[in-house]
Amino acid sequence: MSTNIMIVGVGGQGTLLTSRILGGIAIEKGYDVKLSEVHGMAQRGGSVVTFVRYGECVREPIVEEGQADVLIAFERLEAARYHHFLKKGGVMIVNDVVIEPITVISGQTTYPTDVLDPLEGKYKIVKVDANKIAEEVGNRRVFNTVVLGVAARHMDVEKDVWLRVIERTVPPKTVEINQKAFLTGLGE
Amino acid sequence: MKKLLLGNEAIARGAYEAGVKVSAAYPGTPSTEISETIAKYPEVYAEWSPNEKVAAEVAIGASISGVRSMCCMKHVGLNVAADPLFTCAYTGVGGGLVAVVADDPGLYSSQNEQDTRMIARAAMIPVLEPSDSAEAKAFVKRAFELSEKYDTPIILRSTTRLSHSQGAVELEDRVEVPDKPYEKRIDKYVMMPGMAKKRHLYVEDRLNRMAADMATDPLNRIEYADKKIGFIASGIAYQYVKEAMPEASVLKLGVLNPLPKALIEEFAKNVETLYVFEELEPVVEEQVRAMGIKVIGKEIFTRQGEYSANLLRKAVLGVEDYEAPTAGLPARPPVLCPGCPHRSVFSVMKRLKLHVIGDIGCYTLGAVAPISVIETTICMGSSISTLHGVEKAKGKDYIKNWVCVIGDSTFLHTGVNSLINSAYNRSSGTVVILDNRTTGMTGHQEHAATGKNLKGEPAPAIDLETLCRAIGVTRVRTVSAFDRDALTAALKEETQADELSVIICRAPCALLKGNVFPNKVFVDAAKCAKCGACITCGCPALSKNADKTAKIDPEMCNGCGLCASFCKFGAMEKREVLKK
């Protein structure tokens, strides 16, 4: 059995860093782990997906439809785009903010603001306005670590381990603010 | 010590541990990180070459001199490097030579979905394909041994999923391999007809020997379980088989060319139903069929895109057990970044209603709505010669409202020879070099005009203007990509001129390290006429408030001011702000 986590968002939001923290956690806990990332053209503001899988023995590096235990979404529309990757009853952590894609900005289509409503009841959905919390913590850019903190409430990993892995994964100058953001997300 | 490594990092580590001394490459997703990783080892000489052909030749030279060498490229880079590599298959090697080629099933960042294994078969070059990071490291090391044992270059094939997935890898020490003494071997290294005929015989014999040997080599292995169903699989597809049907028997191939016939025959004899599960083309399947073996393959598995365990479950077991995706959601395609100089250039071209022939790079995104100005994109360096072709077909007057655009790195890759052709054959076209001082799309790699090399050391910087003049272009000028008036004048003038011209549009990539944006643009809602003109510049930092007035995300805005220049009502103002 493996634990499958999927992180989705908009290119540039830091899904890669978040997945690397989660990978570090899995290594720290002594698990076999695989991560899958998107580089190149998909990073230019497009929809991005990264996967983290850990357990006794991990085969494929991706999380597939119907298999994610936790879906971490940095943006509302992206949460909706990938919800079917969750297991029935899986946990969806949503940074409940709207980033309009270029197809909406340019008027080709509209942003469906109620897009998460039909999903209520199917999954355990936790919404958080991490951008706002991050601003209160002191830096809007650490919203992703706030979201990670919220996700950590649903994972069985000690706080010390999280803080240690964050310390060695994020850029040295941002360790303190990231740890603070994480703890705020965790609810401390 | 175990460490989480990207497939690409593991490949670099494997080459390092194998004692590689020379590595050359041109950046290309998904292969770029191999070179960026290997450049960090002081024992290895590593370079960005201007293109993959040059990189392959550098590696060949190093190999002939007796050291282990490597070149790395994406799948389409192999087309560029094909010329030297096809013949290197004949000459064989001195020190071990490995060409790492990363395919892109699913086209995450490429212009086609070609299968390297087919090219390798045509080139008669052996192919190894690992299935995760740990194997990637191990297979590179084996590849160097096999290269020397069989006197052949080896292709190590990766795919995007393998290159960009991380897995635990046991790090080992580097083993310094003594250089082989250089041998003057005209019969082996001078490929003129008489010698090449003999080497062709050698190549055929080599593949036959290797095919026989690989039937018992641990790179290929049979994992017998339930013998009702057997899969032949390799690379990442093998992992999908193990995930979806752990109870099935598997012949895991590590060597994809030549195929181990004896082993395949044995496996086929022992399983009731045999499948070949391979992404992209039916390379293994067709060869297995040619052995007279009954097999199921592309009639149920697609040739398109990436595979998955779910795809396998559905095709073989008829099982599909998950929620339906939400239909009709707005797509989120990649876009040019806020403050990108290309957007400014495209806005002028759009206003002038120019036909724009594109090339490979971030600026390909100029084809995406609402910019939609790029009309063709073929391959690296193609824009200049494509425009030349249009002119020769339709005449000078026909291209008075045409231009081609090419990035600085792409220009140096294979655009230079196209410009030579245009000058030599009296083109009158207008070539726009989008000079953003870096190789942008692949993540900011140095090139021959940036003043630094792959190792980060100072390097001579080619002056593009001088280079164009040396080629024979007399009408060469440089304008700032953000000076839209100057650019408008330049484009009007040069497209009407009856001579070949080059306009270098210069401004650093918005994401380039050290690039400081002192300004941001602010909206005066009282003056905003809600016309939406600013939105048409296609910047992702812009959107509309509920009352339809323009909104700018201050976090995203880099203050280029392009949107403000679209506003007729003076509702947008560029102001200097303190950078956080």
Side-chain angles (χ1 to χ4, degrees):
Chain A
M1 278 298 283
S2 59
T3 299
N4 304 328
I5 303 172
M6 182 166 177
I7 305 139
V8 302
V10 179
Q13 277 193 306
T15 56
L16 228 117
L17 183 68
T18 307
S19 68
R20 287 180 180 186
I21 293 173
L22 285 163
I25 293 287
I27 285 266
E28 190 88 358
K29 300 284 278 180
Y31 290 119
D32 185 24
V33 58
K34 282 184 180 164
L35 274 68
S36 201
E37 310 173 344
V38 177
H39 300 216
M41 189 180 270
Q43 285 177 298
R44 300 282 176 271
S47 172
V48 290
V49 179
T50 59
F51 305 108
V52 182
R53 303 189 71 218
Y54 59 86
E56 291 310 313
C57 172
V58 176
R59 290 291 187 174
E60 61 172 326
I62 60 172
V63 177
E64 300 194 22
E65 299 94 332
Q67 292 173 358
D69 298 283
V70 181
L71 173 68
I72 298 174
F74 289 153
E75 199 268 352
R76 189 191 296 165
L77 177 60
E78 296 313 308
R81 195 186 307 283
Y82 296 105
H83 76 83
H84 58 293
F85 279 76
L86 272 170
K87 285 177 180 163
K88 289 184 179 78
V91 181
M92 180 192 280
I93 315 287
V94 190
N95 183 26
D96 200 18
V97 298
V98 170
I99 299 174
E100 292 185 351
I102 198 74
T103 48
V104 170
I105 293 172
S106 61
Q108 299 166 57
T109 180
T110 53
Y111 192 105
T113 47
D114 55 356
V115 74
L116 294 181
D117 297 352
L119 306 178
E120 295 285 352
K122 281 186 182 169
Y123 315 108
K124 186 169 180 189
I125 301 181
V126 182
K127 293 179 191 171
V128 52
D129 187 344
N131 290 30
K132 193 168 156 237
I133 297 170
E135 206 158 4
E136 286 161 13
V137 168
N139 187 342
R140 271 183 71 164
R141 283 167 201 267
V142 296
F143 74 90
N144 42 26
T145 320
V146 174
V147 179
L148 188 63
V150 177
R153 297 186 207 173
H154 302 272
M155 294 168 63
D156 187 23
V157 179
E158 304 79 12
K159 188 172 76 183
D160 292 353
V161 179
W162 283 107
L163 294 178
R164 200 158 61 232
V165 172
I166 288 170
E167 184 179 355
R168 59 161 199 259
T169 312
V170 304
K173 280 183 193 167
T174 68
V175 169
E176 202 177 324
I177 187 93
N178 272 295
Q179 288 181 337
K180 197 172 153 196
F182 176 82
L183 290 173
T184 311
L186 193 64
E188 293 197 4
Chain B
M1 184 180 74
K2 273 204 173 182
K3 213 179 156 196
L4 265 187
L5 293 185
L6 278 176
N8 280 347
E9 293 170 333
I11 289 168
R13 178 74 196 187
Y16 165 77
E17 290 177 6
V20 80
K21 281 192 178 156
V22 172
S23 172
Y26 180 81
T29 311
S31 69
T32 312
E33 300 83 2
I34 303 168
S35 302
E36 291 179 324
T37 305
I38 208 153
K40 291 175 188 156
Y41 297 112
E43 297 95 329
V44 183
Y45 169 81
E47 71 172 32
W48 290 132
S49 310
N51 63 44
E52 295 85 352
K53 175 181 185 289
V54 174
E57 290 155 354
V58 170
I60 289 168
S63 165
I64 289 173
S65 82
V67 311
R68 289 189 167 183
S69 64
M70 177 166 81
C71 54
C72 313
M73 62 206 77
K74 67 183 294 175
H75 59 327
V76 285
L78 178 58
N79 304 339
V80 181
D83 203 2
L85 287 176
F86 269 61
T87 299
C88 179
Y90 279 40
T91 65
V93 302
L97 171 56
V98 176
V100 182
V101 186
D103 286 2
D104 190 17
L107 296 126
Y108 284 89
S109 202
S110 301
Q111 66 269 38
N112 77 26
E113 214 171 7
Q114 68 186 47
D115 192 323
T116 286
R117 299 173 303 164
M118 295 185 81
I119 301 169
R121 283 197 75 201
M124 294 174 288
I125 296 175
V127 177
L128 267 55
E129 184 178 21
S131 69
D132 62 16
S133 293
E135 269 192 7
K137 196 195 79 161
F139 278 29
V140 173
K141 294 169 87 166
R142 267 317 294 287
F144 279 104
E145 289 167 17
L146 294 174
S147 171
E148 285 164 2
K149 180 173 175 192
Y150 292 95
D151 188 14
T152 177
I154 302 269
I155 287 178
L156 186 102
R157 183 207 190 206
S158 179
T159 58
T160 301
R161 193 54 72 183
L162 179 84
S163 281
H164 289 165
S165 289
Q166 297 198 37
V169 178
E170 187 73 44
L171 302 189
E172 296 161 283
D173 291 334
R174 174 177 168 95
V175 176
E176 291 296 344
V177 181
D179 295 0
K180 293 192 170 175
Y182 170 72
E183 287 179 284
K184 179 172 173 179
R185 286 276 309 275
I186 290 174
D187 61 318
K188 177 165 153 61
Y189 290 123
V190 181
M191 284 301 97
M192 52 205 286
M195 284 76 143
K197 265 183 199 167
K198 288 178 193 144
R199 290 301 296 181
H200 196 182
L201 292 172
Y202 175 81
V203 169
E204 191 183 342
D205 172 65
R206 174 179 77 201
L207 279 175
N208 289 337
R209 273 188 290 126
M210 217 179 145
D213 295 351
M214 289 303 117
T216 52
D217 192 283
L219 284 168
N220 299 314
R221 64 167 187 263
I222 294 176
E223 299 169 4
Y224 280 122
D226 183 348
K227 293 186 176 173
K228 280 203 191 70
I229 292 182
F231 287 96
I232 299 177
S234 67
I236 201 77
Y238 162 78
Q239 305 290 3
Y240 299 141
V241 170
K242 298 302 281 187
E243 194 79 39
M245 298 188 65
E247 68 284 0
S249 295
V250 185
L251 166 53
K252 182 192 182 296
L253 293 177
V255 183
L256 277 297
N257 189 43
L259 291 183
K261 188 163 180 266
L263 195 65
I264 291 169
E265 285 169 340
E266 184 203 320
F267 186 64
K269 222 182 306 166
N270 284 300
V271 296
E272 277 176 38
T273 309
L274 180 62
Y275 295 88
V276 174
F277 192 61
E278 55 186 327
E279 287 181 329
L280 301 179
E281 300 306 316
V283 178
V284 174
E285 179 188 337
E286 285 177 355
Q287 293 181 77
V288 173
R289 278 190 209 285
M291 293 171 195
I293 294 169
K294 208 177 142 204
V295 64
I296 301 168
K298 294 299 175 187
E299 61 266 50
I300 62 165
F301 304 124
T302 175
R303 295 167 106 118
Q304 316 288 326
E306 275 196 292
Y307 278 9
S308 66
N310 277 347
L311 181 142
L312 181 66
R313 285 185 195 100
K314 190 181 173 193
V316 175
L317 305 172
V319 176
E320 193 176 30
D321 184 26
Y322 50 85
E323 292 280 330
T326 305
L329 294 179
R332 192 186 296 276
V335 285
L336 293 173
C337 306
C340 175
H342 302 329
R343 181 181 291 104
S344 174
V345 175
F346 289 150
S347 74
V348 174
M349 291 175 175
K350 192 167 188 174
R351 205 175 55 194
L352 295 175
K353 298 193 168 59
L354 296 176
H355 293 285
V356 183
I357 293 181
D359 219 296
I360 302 287
C362 285
Y363 44 94
T364 310
L365 294 170
V368 179
I371 298 175
S372 312
V373 298
I374 297 280
E375 296 176 31
T376 76
T377 296
I378 308 293
C379 67
M380 292 288 289
S382 63
S383 58
I384 301 172
S385 15
T386 305
L387 179 61
H388 180 76
V390 173
E391 177 180 356
K392 293 305 170 190
K394 306 288 279 187
K396 273 184 181 185
D397 291 339
Y398 189 82
I399 59 155
K400 295 284 189 215
N401 59 342
W402 289 62
V403 295
C404 66
V405 296
I406 184 165
D408 45 341
S409 190
T410 308
F411 177 66
L412 293 172
H413 178 278
T414 33
V416 176
N417 37 13
S418 297
L419 189 65
I420 290 171
N421 180 58
S422 294
Y424 172 55
N425 288 307
R426 296 190 182 283
S427 166
S428 72
T430 303
V431 175
V432 178
I433 300 178
L434 301 169
D435 180 10
N436 65 355
R437 315 306 298 154
T438 189
T439 315
M441 179 58 86
T442 44
H444 304 109
Q445 288 74 32
E446 306 293 345
H447 61 64
T450 64
K452 275 189 186 169
N453 63 22
L454 170 57
K455 290 268 188 180
E457 301 152 348
I462 289 178
D463 184 292
L464 295 180
E465 197 160 322
T466 308
L467 175 61
C468 294
R469 288 188 196 284
I471 285 170
V473 188
T474 49
R475 303 178 71 97
V476 184
R477 62 170 110 182
T478 302
V479 296
S480 161
F482 289 110
D483 188 344
R484 297 173 72 230
D485 292 339
L487 185 54
T488 303
L491 283 168
K492 278 184 179 169
E493 209 175 300
E494 298 305 345
T495 50
Q496 294 316 304
D498 276 339
E499 260 184 82
L500 178 63
S501 51
V502 173
I503 303 171
I504 300 168
C505 288
R506 185 166 292 153
C509 169
L511 299 183
L512 203 58
K513 215 174 167 186
N515 204 358
V516 179
F517 299 95
N519 305 305
K520 284 194 189 298
V521 177
F522 297 89
V523 180
D524 183 345
K527 287 188 189 168
C528 178
K530 307 176 188 179
C531 68
C534 54
I535 298 284
T536 62
C537 78
C539 175
L542 281 163
S543 57
K544 285 179 183 175
N545 289 305
D547 68 355
K548 306 277 188 207
T549 54
K551 180 167 92 176
I552 296 173
D553 182 334
E555 282 295 308
M556 289 175 82
C557 177
N558 281 324
C560 73
L562 180 64
C563 54
S565 71
F566 276 56
C567 180
K568 290 179 189 158
F569 304 95
M572 291 178 141
E573 196 197 350
K574 190 156 107 174
R575 286 206 296 268
E576 202 167 327
V577 291
L578 285 176
K579 188 81 187 160
K580 271 185 193 171

